[in-house]
Amino acid sequence: MTTAILAVAALALTTTPAMAQPGTAPESAAADPITSELAQLTENYLQQRADMLTTTASIARTPQIAATRQMSTQMDADLTALTEKGRRYEQVDGGYTKATVDVEVTDASASGSAATLQVSEYTRLYLPFTPQEVQEGAPEYEEVSLPHTVRFARTAEGTWLLASDVAETDGGPAPSTQVEGADPAPTDEGGSPDEDEGAKAPPSETTVLPDTGVAVVKPTSYNYGKIVSYADNYWKNNNKAYRTYGNDCTNFVSQAMLAGGWGPKGGALIQRTSNKYWFYGPTTFTTSYTWAGAENWYWFAQKHSKRTKILPSVWNLAASDVLQADWDKNGNIDHTMIVTKRYQGTPYLTYHTGATHNKSLAKLLSDHKKTWWYAHRT
């Protein structure tokens, strides 16, 4: 794999003596080879994790990187759990045939024999479709982008050992390359609206429907192709014209809807707390709750603007439609996703927090069995 190293990663990973003699190599220059070494070790480690999800996981079981005793125990447990997850995915929709991983170092630091790397994982998980099927519209792979904080410890002999790995997964569904725990903690970027909205529509059903092969035809109210193209372009690299929220899923979907022709409604400061309005402003305090709050977005889209309608089944979803999740069935929606592909009756979802492109609905449903789902026709 190719490992991208940013200039900032050239921070010191070795210690230059305080009394270094004239002519000693600059610390940043000495750091480059070690930064590259640790980045490659990190990539090898993340590659093995991804490999465990594939249908050829059995050949990737041997550890690929030296680790501390505690981390070795954690790695063994994680690899076992990822293997089980990969088998479950294989049962629900064929799973993944192979994986490729690249890492980009965004920061690096050191203190004595310890080193810390901030990296972004970029993983492609290939789906079991033929080239002909991909040409017909099937997704070739699912993509995941995920920040990690990776720590290393150096032995007296100079060997770097992986000491810990913390992935930033808070706020959304666990990325496919991560071991699942409980369903995500409910989080939202909106707030309590001015009005009492009453009861929601019944959640969409999850029982698999037969593929009729009939394409979904939508009215020409919006540019649905632009909605999908926006999600395809910005699923990983945020559009710098917008703020990024801690829980960024609904902000991302609102951007895609605006790109496809949804017009802002309102814009006055007094309107930001009402679900009847939807607008983006230069600051959080001049942006409506409905823009980045999953629960608030539901009420604007489905009730007040009638720009969406709730579908009876999640399997009715087509490209540019929106799927929302209430993880703990407490009546408050927690997460928002957009459909970027539909192939042979299966919708594929794209979302922020964490950044994921073209994950199959079948996998999402198998990951989150105790969830209320709301499928919006846009």
Side-chain angles (χ1 to χ4, degrees):
M1 311 301 169
T2 300
T3 304
I5 309 296
L6 297 184
V8 71
L11 297 175
L13 286 177
T14 57
T15 302
T16 302
M19 299 298 292
Q21 297 299 314
T24 301
E27 192 173 39
S28 58
D32 287 342
I34 297 178
T35 303
S36 298
E37 177 188 357
L38 296 184
Q40 188 62 61
L41 291 174
T42 300
E43 187 174 281
N44 293 346
Y45 157 70
L46 294 175
Q47 178 69 56
Q48 184 178 27
R49 290 178 63 93
D51 286 341
M52 303 315 294
L53 292 164
T54 70
T55 52
T56 58
S58 59
I59 65 175
R61 194 68 179 81
T62 303
Q64 301 296 309
I65 180 173
T68 62
R69 182 177 300 179
Q70 181 177 1
M71 188 59 187
S72 292
T73 300
Q74 183 64 53
M75 286 171 60
D76 188 63
D78 284 357
L79 295 179
T80 298
L82 288 169
T83 301
E84 294 172 355
K85 186 178 188 179
R87 288 171 180 165
R88 169 164 56 83
Y89 282 174
E90 186 176 2
Q91 291 173 353
V92 299
D93 69 355
Y96 307 117
T97 57
K98 69 174 182 177
T100 61
V101 177
D102 290 303
V103 300
E104 179 181 29
V105 178
T106 56
D107 198 7
S109 61
S111 177
S113 61
T116 300
L117 264 61
Q118 304 288 340
V119 306
S120 290
E121 168 195 356
Y122 171 58
T123 296
R124 285 180 171 178
L125 299 161
Y126 286 76
L127 301 169
F129 293 116
T130 66
Q132 177 63 34
E133 288 173 320
V134 171
Q135 187 174 4
E136 293 170 356
E140 185 177 4
Y141 38 71
E142 173 190 327
E143 297 176 280
V144 173
S145 180
L146 183 63
H148 294 253
T149 299
V150 185
R151 292 183 169 85
F152 290 87
R154 186 164 50 186
T155 67
E157 293 76 24
T159 301
W160 287 104
L161 304 178
L162 179 64
S164 69
D165 166 36
V166 178
E168 297 179 21
T169 60
D170 293 343
S176 296
T177 55
Q178 294 298 300
V179 175
E180 295 161 342
D183 280 343
T187 55
D188 203 355
E189 294 291 346
S192 298
D194 297 336
E195 53 275 304
D196 180 2
E197 298 291 10
K200 288 186 176 72
S204 304
E205 297 291 334
T206 58
T207 303
V208 178
L209 299 177
D211 178 22
T212 63
V214 178
V216 174
V217 178
K218 296 186 180 185
T220 57
S221 305
Y222 305 107
N223 190 321
Y224 303 105
K226 284 188 176 180
I227 293 173
V228 172
S229 293
Y230 188 94
D232 286 337
N233 289 336
Y234 292 107
W235 74 270
K236 180 176 64 138
N237 299 313
N238 296 329
N239 185 341
K240 294 181 180 179
Y242 295 93
R243 291 181 300 279
T244 300
Y245 290 78
N247 188 23
D248 200 56
C249 59
T250 308
N251 176 40
F252 171 62
V253 169
S254 284
Q255 293 170 31
M257 295 298 127
L258 186 66
W262 277 31
K265 185 172 182 181
L269 183 61
I270 196 173
Q271 297 169 332
R272 69 179 293 262
T273 59
S274 172
N275 290 338
K276 296 176 182 177
Y277 303 97
W278 178 79
F279 55 90
Y280 181 85
T283 69
T284 300
F285 298 106
T286 56
T287 298
S288 66
Y289 285 174
T290 57
W291 181 272
E295 173 75 7
N296 304 95
W297 190 94
Y298 169 94
W299 291 111
F300 171 78
Q302 190 268 333
K303 178 182 178 181
H304 295 296
S305 71
K306 293 182 170 50
R307 294 180 183 180
T308 72
K309 66 177 182 178
I310 300 300
L311 297 169
S313 171
V314 295
W315 294 96
N316 295 136
L317 287 162
S320 81
D321 287 342
V322 170
L323 180 63
Q324 294 191 292
D326 176 357
W327 301 126
D328 55 3
K329 297 184 178 180
N330 73 342
N332 189 77
I333 294 175
D334 306 303
H335 187 62
T336 309
M337 299 166 276
I338 190 167
V339 180
T340 39
K341 277 188 178 291
R342 178 184 172 93
Y343 185 73
Q344 293 182 347
T346 296
Y348 292 83
L349 284 303
T350 294
Y351 47 92
H352 281 189
T353 319
T356 297
H357 187 221
N358 288 335
K359 182 163 184 172
S360 77
L361 175 63
K363 291 186 178 76
L364 276 166
L365 295 181
S366 74
D367 287 343
H368 307 286
K369 299 181 185 299
K370 299 178 181 179
T371 296
W372 279 340
W373 303 95
Y374 295 90
H376 294 255
R377 171 59 38 80
T378 58

